[in-house]
Amino acid sequence: MRFLTAGESHGPELTAIIEGLPAGMPLDVEMINKDLKRRQVGYGRGGRMKIEQDQVRITSGLRHGKTLGSPLTLVIENKDWKNWQSVMGIDPVTEKEKVKRQVTRPRPGHADLVGGVKYNHRDLRNVLERSSARETAVRVAIGAVSKAILSASDCEVMAHVTEIGGIKASISEGTSLGDLKMKSERSDVRCCDENAAGLMREAIDRAKKEGNTLGGIVEVVVTGLPIGLGSYTQWDQKLDAKLAQAMLSINAFKGVEFGVGFEAARLPGSDVMDEIIWDQSQGYTRKSNRLGGFEGGMTNGMPVIVRGVMKPIPTLYKPLESVDINTKEVYTASVERSDSCAVPAASVIAEAVIATELAKALLDKFDGDSYTNLIGTIKEYKNYTTEY
Ligand code: EPS
């Protein structure tokens, strides 16, 4: 399976084409829309989310509720487009018009300046429109399709926020995945710890009042994966590395860890490895899951646990210093609108991109021409791994 996305933040729409889907897979458009909604509603979002009401339109690859095995095209309309038609139109404009509309003041922390230098754009809007996190809407739609593929392996995928602006969620050991899922879905900061969620909200309010923004940490958990997705045999086949890339491809993400993650640097080996056990019903499992479901770049059958860290959004109401690329004069940035915290939304995006990479790995390993074959071959293989 492979896909491409296209679309500018204030252009008419976002588009994705996914190729290599199993044929005959049930796909519920409302299930995709539900995930799009989850991405939009988090606490700390700015004015743009009051304009957009993301809904997917499928224009190829689906018939009577089931995939055809041909490319699936997903389209999400940008409602804000109607306010940007002249700025973002495709027809040539006069030099005078062009200069009048030019963005020449790069925002620190954004792709603006580097993208401008790299592609020799004198209008930084040519960079910021595509580097915008708006693109993540369509990746959430791709993630919803990927979750349908993962259902062939009875996978459960969930994501929650574990930290915002230095406030950490405390989650008692042994909390079930179902409980985590239910609590995070109910929370507008997508955090399972109600007490921490309250403090996170207060921190977001404070940051907003001060013209500042906040980052945080999100965690994705996936159960039900078979042993042996990915491979140790070649560097670019290691699946944890692919998940790390997917996580870092989310706008503003700066780091990734699995299981105990960076804590492993401080622990002795006996507190990091997971002891192996076997029983007839479950086959090989581990006594703990400190390695987050990966050994040798392959899934080991334990839940995948992966976290990503998001920096605070770089568009600040509190002005930061930069330089105008035409005059080279110093200026302090002024902002029309921005989110003060997008970490809750980012957890839904993280869930989607991780689901997408795992679905690709599942289709790499198993016969995915038809959904029925996929279910059958996974089941057969899981029986084999239990008995091995
Ligand atoms: C974004 C800036 C804001 C966000 C946007 C990402 O948009 P605007 O510039 O139109 O105010 O709202 O996020 C989305 C549109 C979205 O759907 O998540 C940026 O610069 O990355």
Side-chain angles (χ1 to χ4, degrees):
M1 174 176 111
R2 58 182 182 155
F3 68 89
L4 279 179
T5 75
E8 275 73 44
S9 180
H10 303 98
E13 61 191 34
L14 300 162
T15 313
I17 299 179
I18 314 177
E19 189 185 58
L21 290 173
M25 180 176 79
L27 195 61
D28 178 359
V29 174
E30 277 326 299
M31 183 198 75
I32 304 176
N33 287 336
K34 214 172 126 200
D35 274 354
L36 292 175
K37 177 95 187 156
R38 286 167 73 227
R39 194 195 72 98
Q40 284 203 278
V41 293
Y43 198 76
R45 295 287 254 153
R48 178 79 185 269
M49 284 307 101
K50 294 191 180 80
I51 300 171
E52 302 300 339
Q53 289 141 35
D54 296 338
Q55 298 262 300
V56 75
R57 192 156 50 85
I58 296 184
T59 59
S60 79
L62 191 68
R63 183 168 182 240
H64 302 159
K66 287 195 175 169
T67 52
L68 294 172
S70 54
L72 184 82
T73 307
L74 309 168
V75 178
I76 299 171
E77 196 186 311
N78 289 324
K79 297 260 184 246
D80 209 11
W81 159 243
K82 63 176 187 305
N83 305 315
W84 289 80
Q85 287 188 39
S86 64
V87 178
M88 290 300 292
I90 58 169
D91 294 325
V93 290
T94 62
E95 205 47 41
K96 205 170 140 204
E97 269 299 298
K98 214 193 261 176
V99 169
K100 201 170 88 190
R101 293 163 172 186
Q102 257 170 11
V103 176
T104 58
R105 298 175 157 195
R107 301 159 300 169
H110 276 277
D112 306 353
L113 180 61
V114 185
V117 172
K118 178 174 167 67
Y119 292 102
N120 197 10
H121 287 308
R122 299 306 304 177
D123 182 353
L124 300 178
R125 178 158 299 286
N126 292 339
V127 178
L128 67 90
E129 283 290 334
R130 180 63 183 161
S131 64
S132 162
R134 177 71 188 143
E135 187 259 358
T136 61
V138 78
R139 278 203 282 160
V140 166
I142 298 166
V145 175
S146 301
K147 282 195 255 176
I149 300 167
L150 290 175
S151 71
S153 181
D154 290 327
C155 290
E156 284 273 344
V157 189
M158 71 84 66
H160 61 127
V161 169
T162 60
E163 196 169 328
I164 287 179
I167 294 149
K168 293 186 176 107
S170 135
I171 299 153
S172 36
E173 222 176 295
T175 309
S176 73
L177 192 68
D179 225 28
L180 282 183
K181 199 166 181 168
M182 184 189 68
K183 285 184 179 162
S184 62
E185 286 306 317
R186 278 192 198 149
S187 156
D188 57 3
V189 281
R190 298 193 50 79
C191 174
C192 307
D193 172 354
E194 270 178 45
N195 188 37
L199 296 172
M200 286 172 183
R201 261 182 241 112
E202 279 172 31
I204 294 170
D205 290 343
R206 233 177 2 256
K208 191 172 178 182
K209 223 164 133 194
E210 290 162 4
N212 225 326
T213 56
L214 291 179
I217 298 178
V218 303
E219 180 176 84
V220 183
V221 183
V222 187
T223 59
L225 293 162
I227 295 173
L229 296 185
S231 175
Y232 64 90
T233 59
Q234 198 58 261
W235 66 272
D236 60 354
Q237 296 304 310
K238 295 183 187 205
L239 186 55
D240 47 1
K242 292 184 186 180
L243 298 194
Q245 194 210 354
M247 194 71 108
L248 286 183
S249 77
I250 305 172
N251 310 54
F253 271 57
K254 300 301 279 181
V256 187
E257 60 177 15
F258 294 85
V260 293
F262 275 51
E263 197 53 33
R266 292 162 211 124
L267 296 169
S270 55
D271 289 354
V272 174
M273 303 325 135
D274 303 302
E275 289 181 298
I276 299 171
I277 48 177
W278 184 88
D279 77 52
Q280 205 145 22
S281 66
Q282 294 190 73
Y284 297 93
T285 55
R286 303 293 185 275
K287 280 191 190 166
S288 52
N289 189 20
R290 296 146 172 170
L291 293 177
F294 278 99
E295 285 169 305
M298 300 169 290
T299 51
N300 63 7
M302 294 298 286
V304 162
I305 300 176
V306 52
R307 283 182 294 282
V309 53
M310 184 186 197
K311 73 181 180 188
I313 288 168
T315 309
L316 306 182
Y317 288 95
K318 191 191 186 99
L320 291 178
E321 199 175 295
S322 183
V323 175
D324 188 296
I325 59 165
N326 283 350
T327 63
K328 309 289 189 282
E329 275 166 16
V330 169
Y331 78 95
T332 46
S334 70
V335 174
E336 281 161 40
R337 71 178 176 206
S338 169
D339 301 330
S340 41
C341 179
V343 178
S347 70
V348 178
I349 302 161
E351 179 185 295
V353 302
I354 294 300
T356 303
E357 279 314 302
L358 292 172
K360 278 163 69 179
L362 201 73
L363 292 174
D364 281 348
K365 182 162 175 62
F366 298 101
D367 173 4
D369 281 348
S370 81
Y371 188 62
T372 323
N373 276 4
L374 186 64
I375 293 175
T377 50
I378 293 173
K379 199 167 169 209
E380 207 176 300
Y381 176 78
K382 280 189 173 176
N383 287 339
Y384 149 76
T385 58
T386 305
E387 285 161 16
Y388 167 86

